[in-house]
Structures are given as C-alpha cells and as structure tokens.
Amino acid sequence: MTAPAPARDQARTARRSLLVWLAACAAGGGLALLAAGRVWVTLGTPGGAGGGAGGGPAGAGSGSLTGNDLVAWLTPAALAALAAVLAVLATRGVARRVTSVVVAFLGVAVAAGAWDGTRDATILSMAARHMTTAVTSSGHISVESRAWVWPLLTAAGGLVLAGAGVAAAILSVRWPGMSSRYERGAGRAGTGGTARVKDADRAMWDAIDEGEDPTA
C-alpha cells in the first residue's frame, strides 16, 4: 500500500534535514580538527633566533605551539563529538536526545578550548613545557607572532557542533534511524518467512487429503 503524499513529503523532508545536519557536523568537526593541529603561536627569546646576544645556535631561540599543544582536549573533544554524532543515528527516543545534548556539550568544550588557547597565561605556561632547554634556560620567552585564524576556525567548528547538538535535541524525533530501518527490514523478512512456511504446510495437507504421498 502506497503511503499518502503528505506522509511521503514529511519523510523526505526529515531525511533531507538529517543529511544537512550530518554535513554540518562533519564540517564543524573536521574544521576543528584541522585548525587545532596548526601553529597558533610562534615564540622566541631575545637574541635567540640569530644566535647573537644569547650566544646560542641559530634557531635555538624560537619555537612554535599548535592548538593541541596549548589545549590538550581540543582534538579528543572534537573526535568524541563526531563519535556522538554517529551515536545519534543509532539511537532513538530519550537516548537520542541525550546523545544530542552530549554533541552540543562537546562543541562548547571545543569553542572554550579555542578561547583558552589564546590567553597569554596559557601560552606562557605551555611554552615552558614544549620549548627546548636552550630557549627556556634564559628565562625570557616572548610571543613573536600569533595566527589568529586557527583559533577562530577552531571556535567556529565548535560552535557549529554545539548548534548541531541543540538542533538534534529538538528535531531528531522526526529523523529516521539505523535501528528503525533494520527493525523494519527484519519485520518484513520475518513475516514473509512465516507466510511461506504456512503455504508449504497447507500444500502438504491438501496433498494428503487428495490421497497423494507428499514425500514422493
């Protein structure tokens, strides 16, 4: 039996919104992962880069920090958000809403980490851990340059994930899921198998009633 046109239109709209949501999550998570691995800050010490006043070798007085160096949870949070996106597809009802909230929470964590990675206190603290001994032994570390585009893109990716999580918590009740698809397929297969067994039994009893040997 063919479904009514309004029902087909609603199902088509739900699938389309789900695909748009998945694309937004993939874009937000991918953007955060890409930007977090880039160099956010270039550091140095007075006279270190040229080996002049410090007397060190050339290049010993400079270093760089990526977003992951500055904020350790950026990449794990983005990966966890993408994993939660897949969990949204595999769940239904209350579990789907809860998983959607988790996506939003992880997106906020990514955006907050991007902001934290731009603070001077965070930069200087992480510089003492990641830069070479030749640089940190002087005790003077300065920020030579900052690539603001990468923390901004990381924050944008986190905000996209956060917004997608909120949208899923509201709209996901209308979306199809992997579990429902499999359940429908299993139900159809089970019904068809039962019908075939019943038909075979009926044919055997009909043959017996007519005096035929059903095992021949």
PDB file of all heavy atoms in Angstrom, residues 87-111:
ATOM      1  N   ALA A  87      26.392   8.113  17.171  1.00  0.00           N
ATOM      2  CA  ALA A  87      25.504   7.534  18.174  1.00  0.00           C
ATOM      3  C   ALA A  87      24.089   8.090  18.054  1.00  0.00           C
ATOM      4  O   ALA A  87      23.117   7.387  18.357  1.00  0.00           O
ATOM      5  CB  ALA A  87      26.059   7.787  19.574  1.00  0.00           C
ATOM      6  N   VAL A  88      23.952   9.334  17.623  1.00  0.00           N
ATOM      7  CA  VAL A  88      22.623   9.907  17.410  1.00  0.00           C
ATOM      8  C   VAL A  88      21.865   9.103  16.356  1.00  0.00           C
ATOM      9  O   VAL A  88      20.661   8.853  16.479  1.00  0.00           O
ATOM     10  CB  VAL A  88      22.736  11.393  16.991  1.00  0.00           C
ATOM     11  CG1 VAL A  88      21.400  11.925  16.502  1.00  0.00           C
ATOM     12  CG2 VAL A  88      23.237  12.233  18.154  1.00  0.00           C
ATOM     13  N   LEU A  89      22.560   8.665  15.315  1.00  0.00           N
ATOM     14  CA  LEU A  89      21.918   7.885  14.260  1.00  0.00           C
ATOM     15  C   LEU A  89      21.490   6.499  14.753  1.00  0.00           C
ATOM     16  O   LEU A  89      20.510   5.943  14.271  1.00  0.00           O
ATOM     17  CB  LEU A  89      22.868   7.728  13.069  1.00  0.00           C
ATOM     18  CG  LEU A  89      23.319   9.012  12.379  1.00  0.00           C
ATOM     19  CD1 LEU A  89      24.279   8.683  11.249  1.00  0.00           C
ATOM     20  CD2 LEU A  89      22.125   9.795  11.856  1.00  0.00           C
ATOM     21  N   ALA A  90      22.237   5.959  15.677  1.00  0.00           N
ATOM     22  CA  ALA A  90      21.999   4.585  16.133  1.00  0.00           C
ATOM     23  C   ALA A  90      21.032   4.491  17.300  1.00  0.00           C
ATOM     24  O   ALA A  90      20.706   3.387  17.724  1.00  0.00           O
ATOM     25  CB  ALA A  90      23.324   3.932  16.519  1.00  0.00           C
ATOM     26  N   THR A  91      20.558   5.609  17.822  1.00  0.00           N
ATOM     27  CA  THR A  91      19.674   5.599  18.986  1.00  0.00           C
ATOM     28  C   THR A  91      18.324   6.190  18.621  1.00  0.00           C
ATOM     29  O   THR A  91      18.140   6.774  17.542  1.00  0.00           O
ATOM     30  CB  THR A  91      20.286   6.397  20.143  1.00  0.00           C
ATOM     31  OG1 THR A  91      20.615   7.725  19.682  1.00  0.00           O
ATOM     32  CG2 THR A  91      21.541   5.722  20.665  1.00  0.00           C
ATOM     33  N   ARG A  92      17.381   6.045  19.550  1.00  0.00           N
ATOM     34  CA  ARG A  92      16.040   6.579  19.345  1.00  0.00           C
ATOM     35  C   ARG A  92      15.500   7.101  20.672  1.00  0.00           C
ATOM     36  O   ARG A  92      16.005   6.760  21.730  1.00  0.00           O
ATOM     37  CB  ARG A  92      15.101   5.492  18.805  1.00  0.00           C
ATOM     38  CG  ARG A  92      15.531   4.900  17.477  1.00  0.00           C
ATOM     39  CD  ARG A  92      14.612   3.786  17.034  1.00  0.00           C
ATOM     40  NE  ARG A  92      13.275   4.273  16.725  1.00  0.00           N
ATOM     41  CZ  ARG A  92      12.263   3.490  16.349  1.00  0.00           C
ATOM     42  NH1 ARG A  92      12.440   2.194  16.271  1.00  0.00           N
ATOM     43  NH2 ARG A  92      11.090   4.008  16.072  1.00  0.00           N
ATOM     44  N   GLY A  93      14.489   7.953  20.587  1.00  0.00           N
ATOM     45  CA  GLY A  93      13.794   8.413  21.775  1.00  0.00           C
ATOM     46  C   GLY A  93      14.665   9.245  22.700  1.00  0.00           C
ATOM     47  O   GLY A  93      15.420  10.126  22.266  1.00  0.00           O
ATOM     48  N   VAL A  94      14.569   8.933  23.989  1.00  0.00           N
ATOM     49  CA  VAL A  94      15.291   9.698  25.003  1.00  0.00           C
ATOM     50  C   VAL A  94      16.800   9.561  24.823  1.00  0.00           C
ATOM     51  O   VAL A  94      17.543  10.532  25.000  1.00  0.00           O
ATOM     52  CB  VAL A  94      14.865   9.226  26.415  1.00  0.00           C
ATOM     53  CG1 VAL A  94      15.679   9.945  27.477  1.00  0.00           C
ATOM     54  CG2 VAL A  94      13.369   9.462  26.627  1.00  0.00           C
ATOM     55  N   ALA A  95      17.256   8.368  24.462  1.00  0.00           N
ATOM     56  CA  ALA A  95      18.693   8.167  24.267  1.00  0.00           C
ATOM     57  C   ALA A  95      19.236   9.062  23.160  1.00  0.00           C
ATOM     58  O   ALA A  95      20.348   9.595  23.256  1.00  0.00           O
ATOM     59  CB  ALA A  95      18.981   6.701  23.938  1.00  0.00           C
ATOM     60  N   ARG A  96      18.448   9.258  22.113  1.00  0.00           N
ATOM     61  CA  ARG A  96      18.879  10.137  21.022  1.00  0.00           C
ATOM     62  C   ARG A  96      18.969  11.584  21.493  1.00  0.00           C
ATOM     63  O   ARG A  96      19.909  12.298  21.128  1.00  0.00           O
ATOM     64  CB  ARG A  96      17.916  10.003  19.845  1.00  0.00           C
ATOM     65  CG  ARG A  96      18.171  10.987  18.723  1.00  0.00           C
ATOM     66  CD  ARG A  96      17.307  10.704  17.517  1.00  0.00           C
ATOM     67  NE  ARG A  96      17.850   9.616  16.722  1.00  0.00           N
ATOM     68  CZ  ARG A  96      17.344   9.243  15.539  1.00  0.00           C
ATOM     69  NH1 ARG A  96      16.286   9.873  15.055  1.00  0.00           N
ATOM     70  NH2 ARG A  96      17.890   8.258  14.865  1.00  0.00           N
ATOM     71  N   ARG A  97      18.024  12.020  22.291  1.00  0.00           N
ATOM     72  CA  ARG A  97      18.065  13.396  22.794  1.00  0.00           C
ATOM     73  C   ARG A  97      19.271  13.610  23.718  1.00  0.00           C
ATOM     74  O   ARG A  97      19.940  14.639  23.650  1.00  0.00           O
ATOM     75  CB  ARG A  97      16.767  13.726  23.531  1.00  0.00           C
ATOM     76  CG  ARG A  97      15.560  13.823  22.624  1.00  0.00           C
ATOM     77  CD  ARG A  97      14.306  14.163  23.423  1.00  0.00           C
ATOM     78  NE  ARG A  97      13.137  14.258  22.579  1.00  0.00           N
ATOM     79  CZ  ARG A  97      12.751  15.347  21.933  1.00  0.00           C
ATOM     80  NH1 ARG A  97      13.459  16.450  22.048  1.00  0.00           N
ATOM     81  NH2 ARG A  97      11.668  15.338  21.192  1.00  0.00           N
ATOM     82  N   VAL A  98      19.509  12.634  24.579  1.00  0.00           N
ATOM     83  CA  VAL A  98      20.649  12.748  25.491  1.00  0.00           C
ATOM     84  C   VAL A  98      21.959  12.795  24.703  1.00  0.00           C
ATOM     85  O   VAL A  98      22.855  13.600  24.991  1.00  0.00           O
ATOM     86  CB  VAL A  98      20.655  11.574  26.489  1.00  0.00           C
ATOM     87  CG1 VAL A  98      21.941  11.566  27.302  1.00  0.00           C
ATOM     88  CG2 VAL A  98      19.444  11.664  27.414  1.00  0.00           C
ATOM     89  N   THR A  99      22.085  11.957  23.689  1.00  0.00           N
ATOM     90  CA  THR A  99      23.296  11.958  22.863  1.00  0.00           C
ATOM     91  C   THR A  99      23.451  13.274  22.120  1.00  0.00           C
ATOM     92  O   THR A  99      24.566  13.774  21.934  1.00  0.00           O
ATOM     93  CB  THR A  99      23.262  10.795  21.872  1.00  0.00           C
ATOM     94  OG1 THR A  99      22.953   9.587  22.562  1.00  0.00           O
ATOM     95  CG2 THR A  99      24.601  10.636  21.181  1.00  0.00           C
ATOM     96  N   SER A 100      22.348  13.866  21.694  1.00  0.00           N
ATOM     97  CA  SER A 100      22.399  15.173  21.028  1.00  0.00           C
ATOM     98  C   SER A 100      22.924  16.251  21.970  1.00  0.00           C
ATOM     99  O   SER A 100      23.712  17.119  21.574  1.00  0.00           O
ATOM    100  CB  SER A 100      21.005  15.557  20.518  1.00  0.00           C
ATOM    101  OG  SER A 100      20.503  14.587  19.621  1.00  0.00           O
ATOM    102  N   VAL A 101      22.491  16.187  23.234  1.00  0.00           N
ATOM    103  CA  VAL A 101      22.996  17.138  24.231  1.00  0.00           C
ATOM    104  C   VAL A 101      24.501  16.941  24.434  1.00  0.00           C
ATOM    105  O   VAL A 101      25.246  17.915  24.618  1.00  0.00           O
ATOM    106  CB  VAL A 101      22.227  16.980  25.548  1.00  0.00           C
ATOM    107  CG1 VAL A 101      22.852  17.833  26.649  1.00  0.00           C
ATOM    108  CG2 VAL A 101      20.765  17.365  25.358  1.00  0.00           C
ATOM    109  N   VAL A 102      24.955  15.698  24.383  1.00  0.00           N
ATOM    110  CA  VAL A 102      26.393  15.434  24.501  1.00  0.00           C
ATOM    111  C   VAL A 102      27.149  16.075  23.350  1.00  0.00           C
ATOM    112  O   VAL A 102      28.232  16.657  23.531  1.00  0.00           O
ATOM    113  CB  VAL A 102      26.643  13.911  24.556  1.00  0.00           C
ATOM    114  CG1 VAL A 102      28.139  13.613  24.472  1.00  0.00           C
ATOM    115  CG2 VAL A 102      26.070  13.323  25.833  1.00  0.00           C
ATOM    116  N   VAL A 103      26.616  15.998  22.140  1.00  0.00           N
ATOM    117  CA  VAL A 103      27.253  16.652  20.986  1.00  0.00           C
ATOM    118  C   VAL A 103      27.371  18.153  21.232  1.00  0.00           C
ATOM    119  O   VAL A 103      28.420  18.767  20.980  1.00  0.00           O
ATOM    120  CB  VAL A 103      26.448  16.379  19.698  1.00  0.00           C
ATOM    121  CG1 VAL A 103      27.022  17.168  18.526  1.00  0.00           C
ATOM    122  CG2 VAL A 103      26.464  14.891  19.365  1.00  0.00           C
ATOM    123  N   ALA A 104      26.290  18.751  21.724  1.00  0.00           N
ATOM    124  CA  ALA A 104      26.317  20.188  21.998  1.00  0.00           C
ATOM    125  C   ALA A 104      27.346  20.529  23.069  1.00  0.00           C
ATOM    126  O   ALA A 104      28.094  21.520  22.945  1.00  0.00           O
ATOM    127  CB  ALA A 104      24.932  20.668  22.431  1.00  0.00           C
ATOM    128  N   PHE A 105      27.406  19.730  24.126  1.00  0.00           N
ATOM    129  CA  PHE A 105      28.364  19.978  25.213  1.00  0.00           C
ATOM    130  C   PHE A 105      29.800  19.885  24.709  1.00  0.00           C
ATOM    131  O   PHE A 105      30.647  20.732  25.048  1.00  0.00           O
ATOM    132  CB  PHE A 105      28.135  18.972  26.330  1.00  0.00           C
ATOM    133  CG  PHE A 105      29.159  19.041  27.433  1.00  0.00           C
ATOM    134  CD1 PHE A 105      29.112  20.039  28.393  1.00  0.00           C
ATOM    135  CD2 PHE A 105      30.190  18.113  27.490  1.00  0.00           C
ATOM    136  CE1 PHE A 105      30.068  20.107  29.395  1.00  0.00           C
ATOM    137  CE2 PHE A 105      31.148  18.172  28.490  1.00  0.00           C
ATOM    138  CZ  PHE A 105      31.088  19.165  29.446  1.00  0.00           C
ATOM    139  N   LEU A 106      30.097  18.892  23.887  1.00  0.00           N
ATOM    140  CA  LEU A 106      31.452  18.751  23.360  1.00  0.00           C
ATOM    141  C   LEU A 106      31.798  19.894  22.406  1.00  0.00           C
ATOM    142  O   LEU A 106      32.946  20.346  22.346  1.00  0.00           O
ATOM    143  CB  LEU A 106      31.590  17.403  22.656  1.00  0.00           C
ATOM    144  CG  LEU A 106      31.539  16.176  23.578  1.00  0.00           C
ATOM    145  CD1 LEU A 106      31.447  14.900  22.760  1.00  0.00           C
ATOM    146  CD2 LEU A 106      32.762  16.138  24.490  1.00  0.00           C
ATOM    147  N   GLY A 107      30.821  20.368  21.655  1.00  0.00           N
ATOM    148  CA  GLY A 107      31.066  21.520  20.800  1.00  0.00           C
ATOM    149  C   GLY A 107      31.416  22.759  21.603  1.00  0.00           C
ATOM    150  O   GLY A 107      32.325  23.527  21.243  1.00  0.00           O
ATOM    151  N   VAL A 108      30.706  22.968  22.704  1.00  0.00           N
ATOM    152  CA  VAL A 108      31.027  24.090  23.591  1.00  0.00           C
ATOM    153  C   VAL A 108      32.432  23.924  24.170  1.00  0.00           C
ATOM    154  O   VAL A 108      33.185  24.902  24.310  1.00  0.00           O
ATOM    155  CB  VAL A 108      29.977  24.198  24.716  1.00  0.00           C
ATOM    156  CG1 VAL A 108      30.408  25.218  25.764  1.00  0.00           C
ATOM    157  CG2 VAL A 108      28.623  24.583  24.136  1.00  0.00           C
ATOM    158  N   ALA A 109      32.812  22.681  24.511  1.00  0.00           N
ATOM    159  CA  ALA A 109      34.157  22.438  25.045  1.00  0.00           C
ATOM    160  C   ALA A 109      35.230  22.797  24.022  1.00  0.00           C
ATOM    161  O   ALA A 109      36.267  23.369  24.373  1.00  0.00           O
ATOM    162  CB  ALA A 109      34.288  20.972  25.465  1.00  0.00           C
ATOM    163  N   VAL A 110      34.987  22.480  22.757  1.00  0.00           N
ATOM    164  CA  VAL A 110      35.949  22.829  21.708  1.00  0.00           C
ATOM    165  C   VAL A 110      36.068  24.345  21.579  1.00  0.00           C
ATOM    166  O   VAL A 110      37.181  24.895  21.493  1.00  0.00           O
ATOM    167  CB  VAL A 110      35.530  22.197  20.368  1.00  0.00           C
ATOM    168  CG1 VAL A 110      36.394  22.724  19.227  1.00  0.00           C
ATOM    169  CG2 VAL A 110      35.649  20.672  20.434  1.00  0.00           C
ATOM    170  N   ALA A 111      34.932  25.043  21.559  1.00  0.00           N
ATOM    171  CA  ALA A 111      34.974  26.505  21.444  1.00  0.00           C
ATOM    172  C   ALA A 111      35.651  27.138  22.653  1.00  0.00           C
ATOM    173  O   ALA A 111      36.436  28.090  22.515  1.00  0.00           O
ATOM    174  CB  ALA A 111      33.546  27.047  21.290  1.00  0.00           C
TER     175      ALA A 111
END
